[in-house]
């Protein structure tokens, strides 16, 4: 056990985490050069394309250190995005140390900070790595100062590296061996192993990725999952190279995977503790909480007959994504669909994209909503995740909405505009600290719903792309909220309803009808658009009827071409939803997000 | 099948002195004489090949009339008058030799109203060779706009070409006009209409400028160098044309076409009534029964194939149309006509009534005032439906195979 090191890499998005992992793998020859594709740990296509890590992976490296000894290094990859912070925290719990990667050209960003504190909470040994030192604009001295002044780390201990050129790779490996402590935990104690990730394999069922904290587990053992209370027989144990390689046993300190005829991902939840069914541990490992969806939206097939196809696609995605929840819902406007819950906006986007790309589903997505806690006058308390389901104003005593603590790191020049933005978004100012003379950290508490409203894009545009954001849920708080209804052709469209703050209702109503006027194409009929609170109309616009759409010539050779144009027109219509006589394009349902 | 289509022939002459800024037709600008004569030779070979095919019985089932005669011959382009008199006369002679025409067949020649390509001598020779309809690409009666759209003639050229044509014995002349040019006002368009009508043509085509992909105008529009006229202005220009032209005694018979009664273009009616047409020349399109194809483009490829005595069809464009496609095309083309689509003919042609196929759509659009049913069982666009035709046509598209089961 003295020769085992379990570690992870944490970083702000784009600071080079996955590339550094590649260098470590290459250096220890865990993969032959032939198998080495760029960023091997990011297995999903989507991850590679977007340059982000969604799903964690692990790999076991063999390293002969300068002290002459052979070490086993288990690298556990972590997702870099705020939506997946619970998963980050689980993979941190499986390690004794962390490489904290910081971009030498950018310095500490919001997620550097958030991940650093998470690692600190888990008591990990932190090795700072200043990456991308090959770039001309690299400023390692400034980053070193930030590490010291902001994080209180010893700047001299930071390793200068370039994952691109391979510089510093060996220093990183040596630091892992020398500075990260070996795992502790008695092999003789009752088994306690943490599930830090899992995936579904169509042939073998659930593959649970585990870190054995105490005791040992062997093929043939009966194990108990302490969170769910279910028992399984272990049919296979593996280590990651990175493909699975069977081993007879895993013991305290080791990282590997467990297969045991577990049919459903929900039965092997990330964070749960595996123990022996015969000799169970007295206490599970700390910190288990099922991932809780924070953001909901309705997903509807454009054609009603595709409903079953959408259900099957969602079920398949759920096999590999325990955080995705969905249940059937009906909308007067959109027909049959599903209310889906996500960890955050990115998670939502990824699911929508995968449904369209991998499962060929044509979707109408409604605007995302948070979960409101509604106290009714009759004492009942409801959780409402769909604005259309908000009870009538007369029955509501009070509404609470989720708040987050948002941390924003930005060049000092943009502090003013960003503070303005946060004020506009009902933010409550907490603090302003300077990380260095040029860089500031702002903290606000604000409603999560305001972050869903295009906040990140606005933040980027007000800081020329330089500001970074991280946020954590801090609880529900009472707010003065009202339901805004949208009427097309005089008929309310439930899927366009929004919950907004009372003081902004008029403004938002006006902006919303203006935006809808832009995105709803002109049709054969005039289409009135209204915004209303209860029965009171507060804003109104009209999409004028189509006037002219034909006067081109059309001769013998034009038949094919003309028809192609018409087919295109028809194809465009297919992506629209027919509400009564009005054709509404998909983006209309997201219009609420795009108003300024 | 008790139903027989009428048939016509289109011949494409793809040469112009220069390409107009709005044109997206298969056209080559400014060619050497040798290029043109090589093309004419190829064209004649194609005509002869089709002649042999017809002897062998091809195309037999698509021509009405006693001897399977053609009702129209149309020389278009490009600029057919880019050819010299002897080339044109040779072409006409070979065409007549291989394609039997009805005694009253319409023989149209498109011409550019410039002094160089349209001489008195040429006009007289063509008239004598049987050409009985002339279509002049006048476009606009304003020298500034003519230059702005890339034409190489001026207003005086139009007027003198028209008078020459009358003198040569042409009693059926069409003028092509374009409106909604960038910067054009309603008053300026009215001036063009008035000067065109003053010549008393038998036929007038009025098209609004379309920024087609691949044209200079479209590029300029994308770069912000020219702006389309506002939609409301364009609509007023269209209405103005309908009113002024009707007042001058020409009847509107298609969305963009007007004619003295009896002088409607027989050739274009073949398209709009969805009959049969055989297109000859590089890039020309054909529709025959349930088949559609285009010839090879550019002329080099077209000529090569004919060297080997093979019909120059671009096999990638050959289509065998489903019954649904033919139905929707008949309706889409037919609704462009003021007379609309004949329910009787539809039923005779396809063995199903219009209502069986389109009942719901028709009822919905009639209810909304865009479409009307006539006592004779036709459907046609209303005044309100005409300007938004495309939106209506799209409603008539069918899913292939949907009617066969």
């Amino acid at each position: 056990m003295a020769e085992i090191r379990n570690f992870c890499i944490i970083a702000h998005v784009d600071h080079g985490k996955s590339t550094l992992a590649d260098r470590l793998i290459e250096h220890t020859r865990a993969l032959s050069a032939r198998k080495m594709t760029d960023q091997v740990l990011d297995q999903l296509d989507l991850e590679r394309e977007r340059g982000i890590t969604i799903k964690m992976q692990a790999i076991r490296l063999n390293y002969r250190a300068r002290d002459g000894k052979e070490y086993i290094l288990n690298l556990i990859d972590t997702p870099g995005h705020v939506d997946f912070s619970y998963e980050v925290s689980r993979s941190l719990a499986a390690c004794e140390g962390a490489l904290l990667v910081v971009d030498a050209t950018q310095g500490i960003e919001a997620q550097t900070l958030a991940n650093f504190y998470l690692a600190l909470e888990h008591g990990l040994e932190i090795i700072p790595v200043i990456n991308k030192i090959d770039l001309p604009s690299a400023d390692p001295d400034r980053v070193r100062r930030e590490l010291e002044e902001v994080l209180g780390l010893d700047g001299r201990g930071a390793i200068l590296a370039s994952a691109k050129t391979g510089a510093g790779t060996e220093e990183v490996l040596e630091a892992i061996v020398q500075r990260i402590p070996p795992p502790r935990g008695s092999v003789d104690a009752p088994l306690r192993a943490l599930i830090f990730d899992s995936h579904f394999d169509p042939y073998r069922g659930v593959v649970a990725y585990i870190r054995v904290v105490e005791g040992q587990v062997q093929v043939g053992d009966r194990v108990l999952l302490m969170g769910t209370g279910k028992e399984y027989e272990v049919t296979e144990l593996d280590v990651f190279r990175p493909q699975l390689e069977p081993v007879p046993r895993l013991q305290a300190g080791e990282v590997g995977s467990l297969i045991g005829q577990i049919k459903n991902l929900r039965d092997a939840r990330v964070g749960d503790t595996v123990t022996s069914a015969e000799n169970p541990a007295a206490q599970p490992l700390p910190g288990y909480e099922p991932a809780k969806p924070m953001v909901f939206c309705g997903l509807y097939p454009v054609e009603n007959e595709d409903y079953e196809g959408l259900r099957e696609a969602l079920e398949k995605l759920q096999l590999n994504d325990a955080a995705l929840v969905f249940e059937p819902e009906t909308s007067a406007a959109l027909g049959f669909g599903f209310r889906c819950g996500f960890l955050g906006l990115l998670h939502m986007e990824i699911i929508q994209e995968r449904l369209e790309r991998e499962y060929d589903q044509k979707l109408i997505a409604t605007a995302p909503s948070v979960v409101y806690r509604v106290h009714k006058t009759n004492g009942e308390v409801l959780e409402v995740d769909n604005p259309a389901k908000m009870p009538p104003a007369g029955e509501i005593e009070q509404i609470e909405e989720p708040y987050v603590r948002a941390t924003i790191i930005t060049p000092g020049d943009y502090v003013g505009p960003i503070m303005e933005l946060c004020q506009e978004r009902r933010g409550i100012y907490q603090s302003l600290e300077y990380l260095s003379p040029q860089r500031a950290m702002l903290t606000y508490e604000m409603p999560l719903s305001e972050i869903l409203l295009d906040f990140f894009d606005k933040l980027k545009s007000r800081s020329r792309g330089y500001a970074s954001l991280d946020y954590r849920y801090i609880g529900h708080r009472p707010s003065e909220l009202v339901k805004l209804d949208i009427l097309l052709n005089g008929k309310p469209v439930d899927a366009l309803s929004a919950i907004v703050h009372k003081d902004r209702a008029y403004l938002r109503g006006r902006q919303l009808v203006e935006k809808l006027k832009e995105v709803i194409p002109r049709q054969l009929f005039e289409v009135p658009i209204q915004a209303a609170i209860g029965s009171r109309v507060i804003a109104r616009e009209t999409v004028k009827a189509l006037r002219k759409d034909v006067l081109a010539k059309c001769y013998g050779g034009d038949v094919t071409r003309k028809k192609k144009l018409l087919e295109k027109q028809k194809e465009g219509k297919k992506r629209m939803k027919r509400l009564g006589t009005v054709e509404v394009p998909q983006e209309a349902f997201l219009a609420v997000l795009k108003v300024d | 099948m008790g139903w027989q289509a009428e048939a016509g022939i289109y011949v494409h002459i793809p040469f112009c002195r220069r390409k107009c800024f709005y044109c997206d037709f298969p056209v080559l600008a400014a060619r050497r004489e040798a290029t043109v004569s090589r093309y004419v030779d190829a064209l004649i070979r194609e005509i002869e090949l089709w002649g042999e095919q017809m002897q062998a019985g091809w195309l037999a089932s698509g021509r009405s009339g006693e001897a399977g005669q053609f009702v129209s011959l149309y020389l278009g382009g490009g600029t057919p008058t880019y050819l010299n008199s002897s080339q044109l006369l040779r072409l006409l002679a070979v065409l007549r030799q291989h394609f039997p025409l009805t005694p009253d067949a319409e023989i149209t020649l498109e011409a550019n109203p410039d002094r160089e390509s349209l001489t008195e001598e040429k006009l007289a020779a063509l008239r004598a060779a049987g050409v009985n309809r002339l279509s002049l690409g006048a476009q606009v009666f304003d020298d500034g706009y003519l230059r702005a759209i890339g034409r190489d003639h001026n207003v005086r050229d139009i007027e003198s070409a028209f008078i020459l044509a009358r003198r040569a014995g042409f009693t059926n002349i069409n003028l092509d006009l374009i409106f909604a040019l960038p910067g054009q006002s309603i008053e300026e368009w009215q001036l063009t209409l008035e000067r065109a009508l003053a010549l008393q043509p038998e036929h007038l085509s009025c098209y609004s400028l379309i920024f087609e992909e691949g044209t200079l105008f479209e590029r300029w529009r994308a770069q912000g160098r020219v702006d389309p006229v506002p939609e409301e202005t364009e609509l007023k220009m269209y209405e103005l044309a309908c009113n002024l032209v009707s007042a001058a005694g020409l009847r509107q018979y298609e969305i963009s076409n007007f004619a003295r009664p009896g002088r409607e273009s027989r050739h274009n009616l073949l398209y709009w009534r969805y009959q049969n047409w055989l297109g000859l020349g590089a890039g020309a399109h054909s529709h025959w029964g349930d088949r559609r194809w285009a010839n090879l483009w550019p002329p080099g490829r077209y000529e090569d194939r004919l060297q080997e005595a093979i019909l120059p069809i671009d096999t990638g464009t050959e289509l065998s149309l489903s019954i649904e496609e033919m139905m929707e095309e008949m309706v889409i083309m037919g609704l462009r006509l003021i007379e609309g689509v004949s329910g009787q003919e539809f039923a005779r042609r396809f063995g199903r009534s219009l209502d069986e196929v389109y009942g719901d759509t028709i009822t919905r659009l009639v209810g909304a005032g865009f479409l009307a049913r006539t006592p004779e069982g036709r459907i046609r666009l209303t005044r309100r439906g005409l300007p938004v035709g495309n939106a209506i046509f799209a409603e008539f598209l069918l899913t292939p195979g949907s009617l066969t089961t």
Side-chain angles (χ1 to χ4, degrees):
Chain A
M1 206 187 299
E3 279 78 47
I4 296 177
R5 298 292 182 270
N6 296 318
F7 73 103
C8 57
I9 311 179
I10 52 181
H12 189 75
V13 70
D14 280 343
H15 279 198
K17 178 168 65 90
S18 298
T19 324
L20 179 64
D22 288 350
R23 288 297 87 75
L24 298 179
I25 293 164
E26 206 177 58
H27 198 87
T28 56
R29 295 184 190 82
L31 288 172
S32 67
R34 189 170 47 84
K35 280 193 192 150
M36 189 80 198
T37 49
D38 270 356
Q39 306 188 359
V40 284
L41 288 182
D42 293 349
Q43 287 191 344
L44 295 168
D45 279 354
L46 213 58
E47 291 186 11
R48 205 164 291 153
E49 265 175 41
R50 299 173 69 144
I52 50 171
T53 306
I54 303 156
K55 200 84 187 132
M56 279 182 291
Q57 298 288 343
I59 188 166
R60 176 173 170 149
L61 314 172
N62 292 338
Y63 176 61
R64 180 187 287 275
R66 286 182 193 150
D67 63 12
K69 281 191 255 179
E70 283 280 349
Y71 288 88
I72 292 170
L73 312 182
N74 287 306
L75 162 55
I76 293 165
D77 200 19
T78 60
H81 190 272
V82 52
D83 280 4
F84 304 98
S85 61
Y86 174 68
E87 295 197 12
V88 176
S89 119
R90 290 306 82 196
S91 53
L92 295 182
C95 302
E96 279 79 36
L99 303 179
L100 177 69
V101 179
V102 184
D103 188 321
T105 67
Q106 299 190 354
I108 289 171
E109 298 287 1
Q111 284 152 38
T112 318
L113 212 61
N115 285 326
F116 167 77
Y117 284 122
L118 268 181
L120 214 58
E121 279 167 31
H122 284 91
L124 302 194
E125 177 66 33
I126 293 167
I127 304 171
V129 178
I130 300 176
N131 191 26
K132 307 195 188 180
I133 53 159
D134 59 305
L135 294 181
S137 56
D139 188 355
D141 290 337
R142 176 179 72 100
V143 177
R144 215 178 243 135
R145 274 198 306 280
E146 285 187 3
L147 288 170
E148 287 173 355
E149 285 163 22
V150 182
L151 306 182
L153 290 166
D154 181 359
R156 286 167 307 174
I159 298 167
L160 299 185
S162 163
K164 205 169 117 205
T165 65
T169 307
E170 189 157 341
E171 284 78 359
V172 171
L173 287 164
E174 282 298 317
I176 292 168
V177 168
Q178 285 161 23
R179 285 153 67 174
I180 295 175
R184 290 185 299 266
S186 162
V187 179
D188 304 321
L191 171 67
R192 289 208 294 176
L194 171 74
I195 300 179
F196 63 86
D197 193 12
S198 56
H199 82 261
F200 184 82
D201 181 302
Y203 302 105
R204 297 189 281 191
V206 172
V207 180
Y209 294 26
I210 57 168
R211 155 72 198 271
V212 183
V213 178
E214 287 173 324
Q216 57 176 316
V217 56
Q218 299 192 53
V219 174
D221 283 358
R222 285 203 69 77
V223 292
L224 168 72
L225 300 189
M226 299 181 84
T228 60
K230 293 194 175 167
E231 285 185 24
Y232 301 94
E233 188 187 320
V234 178
T235 55
E236 188 179 327
L237 294 166
D238 301 270
V239 293
F240 312 110
R241 293 191 164 277
Q243 72 283 18
L244 302 183
E245 188 180 293
V247 292
R249 89 168 55 72
L250 289 170
Q251 59 184 36
E254 288 190 301
V255 172
S257 69
L258 179 153
I259 296 169
Q261 321 252 298
I262 307 172
K263 301 258 169 5
N264 192 326
L265 217 52
R266 260 143 229 289
D267 294 331
R269 290 268 195 182
V270 170
D272 203 350
T273 301
V274 184
T275 189
S276 159
E278 278 94 38
N279 179 22
Q283 289 288 324
L285 296 163
Y288 172 63
E289 46 172 310
K292 215 174 152 200
M294 298 293 286
V295 175
F296 285 78
C297 80
L299 294 181
Y300 290 82
V302 175
E303 304 284 346
N304 285 331
E305 53 265 37
D306 296 337
Y307 174 77
E308 277 308 317
L310 178 55
R311 176 203 296 278
E312 278 167 31
L314 282 166
E315 278 168 359
K316 280 193 191 136
L317 282 179
Q318 201 179 41
L319 283 179
N320 252 321
D321 186 348
L324 168 68
V325 299
F326 64 89
E327 59 180 39
E329 85 172 353
T330 332
S331 151
L334 301 178
F336 294 101
F338 297 93
R339 195 76 196 161
C340 303
F342 310 93
L343 295 173
L345 280 180
L346 179 73
H347 189 214
M348 180 180 84
E349 276 173 36
I350 289 165
I351 296 290
Q352 286 177 11
E353 202 177 316
R354 291 188 67 185
L355 285 170
E356 298 200 318
R357 248 167 64 146
E358 295 169 34
Y359 296 92
D360 197 25
Q361 297 292 313
K362 287 205 177 90
L363 291 179
I364 299 274
T366 64
S369 166
V370 299
V371 182
Y372 297 96
R373 195 172 293 149
V374 181
H375 298 263
K376 291 178 69 175
T377 45
N378 65 5
E380 210 183 322
V381 181
L382 297 177
E383 301 242 307
V384 176
D385 59 33
N386 179 352
K389 301 270 162 67
M390 191 57 83
E395 296 175 18
I396 297 174
E397 174 83 39
Q398 190 187 55
I399 303 177
E400 290 175 89
E401 64 176 327
Y403 266 70
V404 296
R405 177 173 293 111
T407 307
I408 298 161
I409 294 183
T410 172
D413 294 351
Y414 309 116
V415 165
I418 290 174
M419 288 179 81
E420 253 170 56
L421 173 67
C422 292
Q423 299 293 342
E424 285 164 23
R425 297 307 184 87
R426 297 192 279 141
I428 303 159
Y429 171 83
Q430 300 296 309
S431 66
L432 168 62
E433 291 168 48
Y434 276 85
L435 308 184
S436 67
Q438 293 85 29
R439 278 155 49 86
M441 180 170 81
L442 272 164
T443 312
Y444 272 84
E445 290 178 0
M446 64 167 76
L448 175 59
S449 64
E450 297 286 347
I451 294 207
L452 300 192
L453 279 178
D454 213 18
F455 181 78
F456 192 61
D457 286 347
K458 290 278 176 314
L459 181 68
K460 286 285 179 193
S461 75
R462 292 203 191 181
S463 65
R464 300 188 182 217
Y466 283 115
S468 63
L469 166 74
D470 191 82
Y471 58 88
R472 291 288 136 92
Y473 170 68
I474 51 173
H476 272 65
R477 294 182 183 174
S479 281
E480 300 260 12
L481 301 170
V482 294
K483 182 178 166 206
L484 190 63
D485 288 314
I486 298 293
L487 295 83
L488 293 182
N489 243 351
K491 295 194 191 73
V493 179
D494 56 1
L496 288 173
S497 298
I499 306 291
V500 299
H501 193 263
K502 188 179 61 113
D503 294 347
R504 276 157 216 275
Y506 277 86
L507 180 65
R508 293 299 302 283
R510 172 116 299 279
Q511 291 170 328
L512 202 49
V513 295
E514 278 167 10
K515 188 72 203 173
L516 284 168
K517 186 187 174 184
E518 272 172 45
V519 297
I520 295 176
R522 293 171 65 184
Q523 342 221 328
L524 290 171
F525 305 88
E526 186 175 284
V527 181
I529 308 169
Q530 296 161 303
I533 298 172
S535 58
R536 200 157 35 99
V537 172
I538 58 168
R540 171 188 327 256
E541 280 287 347
T542 306
V543 179
K544 287 210 185 100
L546 192 64
R547 296 298 307 276
K548 170 208 71 93
D549 181 19
V550 74
L551 306 177
K553 58 186 159 192
C554 184
Y555 292 143
D558 298 326
V559 185
T560 323
R561 209 173 48 154
K562 282 278 137 71
K563 245 197 20 186
K564 258 189 207 139
L565 289 176
L566 292 174
E567 300 275 6
K568 222 161 128 192
Q569 204 167 333
K570 190 181 168 191
E571 196 53 37
K573 274 192 174 184
K574 265 197 198 155
R575 309 235 4 135
M576 289 196 234
K577 199 79 191 176
R578 199 176 192 123
L579 306 183
T581 52
V582 188
E583 311 264 3
V584 182
Q586 182 171 343
E587 60 266 40
F589 297 97
L590 300 175
V592 62
L593 300 182
K594 303 291 181 198
V595 298
D596 289 299
Chain B
M1 285 259 278
W3 186 81
Q4 276 275 293
E6 291 195 319
I9 291 167
Y10 174 81
V11 180
H12 190 62
I13 309 295
F15 305 108
C16 282
R17 270 226 309 247
R18 56 193 279 199
K19 193 158 177 161
C20 303
F21 303 156
Y22 54 84
C23 174
D24 70 334
F25 266 49
V27 159
L28 301 174
R31 288 293 131 175
R32 288 179 305 126
E33 226 164 84
T35 313
V36 176
S37 75
R38 193 167 60 226
Y39 182 79
V40 174
D41 289 346
L43 200 47
I44 284 170
R45 222 162 293 139
E46 189 191 8
I47 295 165
E48 288 166 352
L49 275 179
W50 276 112
E52 288 168 28
Q53 296 295 334
M54 291 211 302
Q55 300 262 312
W58 269 48
L59 307 184
S61 66
R63 291 174 288 148
S64 60
E66 279 169 42
Q69 292 159 329
F70 292 84
V71 301
S72 161
L73 175 59
Y74 192 104
L75 271 64
T79 313
T81 46
Y82 198 83
L83 271 51
N84 61 37
S85 297
S86 69
Q87 286 168 326
L88 284 168
L89 294 179
R90 181 169 158 229
L91 211 49
L92 283 166
V94 180
L95 282 162
R96 282 168 170 280
Q97 184 190 332
H98 291 280
F99 297 106
L101 302 180
T102 55
D104 62 342
E106 177 185 276
I107 304 180
T108 307
L109 181 84
E110 275 185 0
N112 194 45
D114 66 88
R115 286 157 209 232
E116 213 173 296
S117 72
L118 205 62
T119 59
E120 195 166 2
E121 164 264 329
K122 200 186 244 177
L123 279 165
L126 289 166
R127 182 69 196 93
V131 175
N132 53 25
R133 186 168 181 271
L134 200 66
S135 178
L136 288 175
Q139 314 312 358
V140 56
F141 283 72
D142 181 310
D143 288 344
Y145 283 114
L146 281 170
R147 268 196 305 278
I149 60 177
R151 303 292 298 196
D152 59 1
H153 64 266
N154 58 33
V155 174
R156 273 189 55 198
D157 292 336
I158 305 173
E159 286 167 347
S160 66
F162 194 93
I163 291 160
L164 279 184
R166 281 278 192 251
R167 213 182 287 158
F170 284 95
T171 55
N172 190 0
I173 303 180
N174 167 57
L175 294 176
D176 270 347
L177 300 179
I178 298 190
F179 65 95
L181 301 172
Q184 192 179 33
S185 69
I186 295 174
E187 292 71 28
E188 287 170 323
W189 168 232
Q190 179 164 354
L191 223 60
T192 280
L193 279 168
E194 283 166 357
R195 289 190 73 167
L197 289 168
L199 294 171
Q200 300 191 320
E202 283 70 29
H203 192 285
L204 209 57
S205 300
C206 301
Y207 297 113
S208 72
L209 176 73
I210 306 289
F211 293 84
E212 300 281 5
E213 233 171 274
T215 63
L216 265 180
F217 259 169
E218 169 53 21
R219 197 157 89 206
W220 291 340
R221 192 199 58 75
Q223 293 168 348
R225 286 168 63 185
V226 297
D227 289 320
V229 303
E231 192 181 54
E232 285 303 313
T233 310
E234 189 175 339
L235 197 67
K236 280 191 189 127
M237 288 177 159
Y238 177 61
E239 280 161 3
L240 180 72
C242 294
N243 295 335
L244 279 185
V245 178
S246 306
L250 273 61
R251 201 175 55 97
Q252 183 177 15
Y253 70 104
E254 194 256 5
I255 288 178
S256 306
N257 282 275
F258 306 82
R260 221 167 274 296
R263 295 297 200 181
E264 295 84 8
S265 163
R266 287 191 76 172
H267 190 81
N268 289 333
L269 281 172
L270 290 176
Y271 300 142
W272 298 322
R273 289 184 179 149
Y274 203 47
Q275 307 288 310
N276 290 338
W277 55 92
L278 182 63
L280 307 173
H285 290 255
S286 302
H287 169 253
W288 203 276
D290 63 354
R291 306 188 70 79
R292 189 159 64 209
W293 67 89
N295 273 354
L296 287 165
W297 177 263
R301 286 178 65 204
Y302 164 84
E303 289 156 13
D304 286 350
R305 192 63 56 88
L306 284 161
Q307 285 284 355
E308 303 164 42
I310 300 171
L311 283 176
I313 292 170
D314 179 351
T315 47
T317 65
E318 261 186 301
L319 271 183
S320 174
L321 300 166
S322 66
I323 187 156
E324 293 87 358
E325 285 174 303
M326 290 192 281
M327 286 174 169
E328 65 193 20
E329 287 176 15
M330 177 177 173
V331 173
I332 288 167
M333 296 302 277
L335 284 178
R336 299 186 67 88
L337 291 168
I338 302 303
E339 65 178 25
V341 179
S342 157
Q344 277 171 26
E345 188 166 339
F346 186 95
R348 235 183 312 151
R349 205 157 162 176
F350 301 117
R352 281 173 196 249
S353 74
L354 260 179
D355 274 310
E356 224 176 298
V357 182
Y358 288 120
D360 292 348
T361 307
I362 295 172
T363 307
R364 188 159 43 84
L365 292 169
V366 168
F370 295 110
L371 209 62
R373 292 178 191 270
T374 72
E376 315 87 68
R378 310 181 74 93
I379 54 165
R380 57 171 187 81
L381 293 182
T382 59
R383 276 275 144 215
R384 206 170 144 216
L386 273 182
V388 290
N390 278 344
I392 313 267
F393 302 157
E395 304 277 325
F396 284 90
L397 293 176
L398 298 168
T399 310
S402 59
L403 294 175
T404 43
T405 46

